[in-house]
Amino acid sequence: MKKATIAALLFLAGATPGLAQSCDEFWYQRNMIYKEAGYCFKTANAIRNFGNAGCKYDDQADVPLSARQRAEIAEIKSLERAMKCAP
């Protein structure tokens, strides 16, 4: 995908996801939402970046997220797919 197309997607995406410009930034923004909501990370990379201090939820499905947070995560995931980021 050309940079102009990606830039257009980022612009249309809106506030928070629009600030990210790389797969790593999208990954960080998406997981920050889970961290702030109390998710207990499982991967070494996520634990290294966010830690698990104060976490409450082992299953992502159990994390209490607002409709806005869920929409933001869905938007970030969509942009990650558009940029062909690793899952």
Side-chain angles (χ1 to χ4, degrees):
M1 184 175 295
K2 292 184 175 185
K3 284 193 174 202
T5 305
I6 293 171
L9 285 172
L10 293 173
F11 175 77
L12 294 173
T16 304
L19 297 175
Q21 295 184 13
S22 73
C23 291
D24 288 339
E25 289 171 322
F26 284 131
W27 176 88
Y28 189 88
Q29 286 184 353
R30 179 172 42 80
N31 283 292
M32 179 57 77
I33 296 168
Y34 284 111
K35 169 64 177 174
E36 291 173 350
Y39 180 64
C40 300
F41 293 99
K42 295 174 181 62
T43 67
N45 187 34
I47 294 168
R48 185 173 45 256
N49 278 275
F50 299 103
N52 274 335
C55 72
K56 302 174 191 164
Y57 306 97
D58 289 323
D59 189 334
Q60 277 186 350
D62 294 336
V63 178
L65 298 171
S66 69
R68 180 180 174 157
Q69 289 169 314
R70 290 187 189 285
E72 192 171 340
I73 289 168
E75 187 174 329
I76 292 169
K77 286 181 175 182
S78 175
L79 291 168
E80 287 175 309
R81 282 190 299 276
M83 290 182 61
K84 298 186 183 348
C85 300

